[in-house]
Amino acid sequence: MASNQSSSPRSWMHDITAYLIYVVLTATIGPLQYGFHLAELNAPQAVITCEKKSVSTAFLAGPSLPQCIPMNPTQFGLITSIYTPGGLIGALSAGPCATMYGRLLTMRLTTIFFTLGPVLEALAPNIGVMSVGRFLSGVGAGAAIVAVPIYIAEVAPPLEKGVFGALTQIMINVGVLIAQVLGYFLSKGSLWRIVLAVAGGIGLLQMAGLFLVPESPKWLVDHGRSPQARRIVQKIRGADADVEEEVEGWGTNETAGRSSEEESLLQAPDDDPQPSSKTAKSNKNGVGIFEVVFHPDHHKAIVAVVGVMFAQQLCGINSIIMYSVSLLSALLPTTATLLIVVVSITNLVATIAFSPLADKLGRKPCLLISIGGMGINAVLLAFAILLDLKILSAIATLLFVTSFALGLGPVPFILASELVGPEAVGATQSWALAANWIATFLVAQFFPILNSWLGKGKVYFVFAAFAGLFFAFVAWWVPETKGKRNADEVWGRGRRED
């Protein structure tokens, strides 16, 4: 279990180096892109579809491109939702790629999609081109939120993995906020194209930044490259840091006593050490996407992670992120677009403020408090909308988002790396994110339909019911991972020798 020292600010800061900050921030640009593309069409929807020339009070001439692309709600829904199957493909592909070829290469590949997709979106003359751009952006986003949480968990200081794991959700919220702020100011004329193009510039920035980012030390260990992993850990932690305990936790202590001559003899001419028989076997016997579902050591983890990922979406968070304009315009019609920004800021601040709680309280308590809070506030929001209580509606919306930030936002991404061994992390992340994308698609497609069919606000009773179901599921099925050294300890089984 983590020691009390881990909660000491002095100890926590001692683990942080400038290089670690650079590595983590560069990697988490991927989740930022996920959030950006999730929200980029929200504010400028009316301008993009030619419904109106501006959602703000001022008008500025745009670039020499069609000011808008005429489309009906069904066609706009296609452009919005096609991001989701792209994300699903990216999520399913990224796990095996991250396991076989490395976390770093996978992150680099995502930047290609993050550059090409926004270029097509920003320069789209018609629905077809914009749809292709959204699809490519989705592929990059799906792959990024598989590879990046794995990478962050493997480079973060051992006692602060929860805090660093929360950065995935924090950066998603940063991306949402950036997109909505840009949309607030640029939803006029042709300037909506700038909103979409910004993501391409961010993709190029990350592509360049990743050239100074190292491969995951843990992945290198699993592939028999322990000396290189040791050097990288030392660089990340600092020249004076004692990394022996961390390295031994990865099973690399068998190399600790080797002389430099012995080490050089084990390395190939390109300075990459050859895999040891044990790690090579582990690598070759890595668990695949379908195998992990039926593997006796991993099937319970798959159910837990997939269930939590469904909970993250089916408790209703994206009904706020994607449809906040239409939802809040009835409450405060003159400031609906500005309220999107307020909600995004609230989500971001709450996520940052609550990020240490996963390490202090544990993953499971945070999930239960979060789901319970969302369920309660979903009921309040439903009654507030039904009874046209404007202040209560606004408060319930903000508390709903705050509850999400406490646990359901960051914790699922942490659990996906902690409930299984390293040989199954990639496949588990792929299934988890596949579930997440499918659930996102369900909410994105059917929230407006269900809201219209049930009547004003009643759909939030459905979200409250889902919250009750998922609360029971987490309480019964999902184990605590805080302070556990490996998946065997998490699930209470003895370590087996191969």
Side-chain angles (χ1 to χ4, degrees):
M1 296 181 63
S3 65
N4 294 333
Q5 187 181 10
S6 65
S7 62
S8 166
R10 182 177 179 181
S11 173
W12 194 89
M13 292 303 298
H14 179 73
D15 292 335
I16 307 302
T17 64
Y19 186 57
L20 174 62
I21 294 173
Y22 172 83
V23 165
V24 169
L25 290 181
T26 302
T28 52
I29 291 176
L32 181 150
Q33 289 271 29
Y34 166 78
F36 188 99
H37 289 292
L38 196 66
E40 65 184 352
L41 301 181
N42 193 353
Q45 174 181 348
V47 177
I48 294 173
T49 60
C50 302
E51 181 179 341
K52 57 178 70 171
K53 289 187 176 181
S54 176
V55 297
S56 299
T57 56
F59 173 83
L60 295 176
S64 57
L65 286 169
Q67 180 175 319
C68 57
I69 301 175
M71 63 183 87
N72 58 41
T74 300
Q75 292 170 323
F76 185 79
L78 170 65
I79 288 178
T80 302
S81 62
I82 202 168
Y83 175 69
T84 305
L88 178 58
I89 291 174
L92 291 176
S93 303
C97 182
T99 298
M100 295 176 62
Y101 304 109
R103 289 49 160 143
L104 181 59
L105 177 61
T106 305
M107 291 190 294
R108 286 174 175 170
L109 290 175
T110 66
T111 63
I112 298 175
F113 293 96
F114 284 144
T115 303
L116 293 179
V119 168
L120 292 177
E121 291 181 54
L123 300 179
N126 53 51
I127 295 174
V129 175
M130 180 171 282
S131 297
V132 173
R134 286 279 295 170
F135 180 84
L136 293 177
S137 297
V139 173
I145 53 175
V146 168
V148 172
I150 299 173
Y151 183 82
I152 297 302
E154 294 174 347
V155 301
L159 298 180
E160 283 81 38
K161 288 185 182 293
V163 174
F164 280 87
L167 284 175
T168 297
Q169 186 62 34
I170 290 173
M171 292 301 280
I172 289 174
N173 292 336
V174 170
V176 170
L177 178 59
I178 292 173
Q180 292 179 341
V181 169
L182 289 174
Y184 177 73
F185 289 105
L186 298 177
S187 293
K188 57 192 76 172
S190 298
L191 296 185
W192 58 268
R193 296 181 180 273
I194 297 177
V195 178
L196 307 184
V198 164
I202 297 174
L204 287 174
L205 180 66
Q206 186 186 24
M207 183 184 295
L210 285 174
F211 282 104
L212 299 178
V213 170
E215 180 55 87
S216 159
K218 194 167 185 179
W219 183 86
L220 293 172
V221 168
D222 292 338
H223 288 70
R225 296 158 66 176
S226 300
Q228 183 182 355
R230 182 186 293 273
R231 291 193 295 269
I232 290 175
V233 171
Q234 194 72 67
K235 182 177 181 182
I236 292 174
R237 302 287 178 258
D240 298 329
D242 184 0
V243 300
E244 285 305 312
E245 182 178 357
E246 179 176 358
V247 171
E248 288 175 6
W250 290 347
T252 64
N253 51 312
E254 71 272 10
T255 66
R258 290 178 183 155
S259 65
S260 59
E261 179 180 5
E262 290 174 319
E263 186 175 302
S264 66
L265 290 173
L266 291 172
Q267 294 179 0
D270 62 355
D271 198 41
D272 284 340
Q274 296 296 325
S276 67
S277 59
K278 183 176 181 179
T279 54
K281 180 180 179 181
S282 175
N283 175 46
K284 291 180 181 178
N285 293 335
V287 183
I289 289 181
F290 297 105
E291 182 185 359
V292 73
V293 177
F294 303 102
H295 196 288
D297 284 350
H298 306 309
H299 70 274
K300 288 185 178 180
I302 293 296
V303 174
V305 174
V306 168
V308 171
M309 284 294 183
F310 265 98
Q312 188 184 62
Q313 298 303 322
L314 295 185
C315 286
I317 186 61
N318 274 334
S319 69
I320 302 296
I321 293 177
M322 293 180 173
Y323 298 104
S324 52
V325 171
S326 59
L327 182 68
L328 298 175
S329 60
L331 306 174
L332 297 170
T334 60
T335 57
T337 308
L338 181 60
L339 280 175
I340 304 173
V341 178
V342 174
V343 169
S344 298
I345 293 174
T346 301
N347 196 9
L348 175 59
V349 171
T351 301
I352 295 173
F354 294 149
S355 61
L357 292 182
D359 282 333
K360 292 180 179 296
L361 300 180
R363 282 57 158 153
K364 188 170 182 174
C366 285
L367 281 177
L368 292 174
I369 296 171
S370 178
I371 294 172
M374 292 187 74
I376 292 171
N377 286 290
V379 172
L380 291 177
L381 183 57
F383 278 118
I385 296 174
L386 277 172
L387 301 175
D388 198 25
L389 303 175
K390 297 181 179 181
I391 296 178
L392 180 59
S393 296
I395 294 174
T397 299
L398 292 174
L399 290 178
F400 186 82
V401 170
T402 302
S403 297
F404 174 81
L406 192 152
L408 269 184
V411 171
F413 295 100
I414 301 173
L415 287 179
S417 296
E418 294 182 338
L419 290 176
V420 295
E423 74 282 357
V425 167
T428 301
Q429 281 278 11
S430 290
W431 278 113
L433 271 300
N436 191 283
W437 282 105
I438 292 171
T440 301
F441 175 82
L442 292 175
V443 173
Q445 287 293 305
F446 295 109
F447 172 80
I449 298 172
L450 195 59
N451 189 41
S452 175
W453 179 56
L454 292 177
K456 188 172 68 171
K458 293 180 182 178
V459 66
Y460 282 95
F461 289 125
V462 177
F463 288 135
F466 273 123
L469 290 174
F470 285 118
F471 185 95
F473 170 78
V474 171
W476 170 56
W477 188 270
V478 179
E480 179 57 70
T481 63
K482 175 193 172 186
K484 306 296 176 63
R485 291 175 60 87
N486 51 54
D488 293 319
E489 189 175 343
V490 167
W491 293 100
R493 57 179 181 250
R495 184 182 296 275
R496 300 182 303 185
E497 297 295 333
D498 294 330

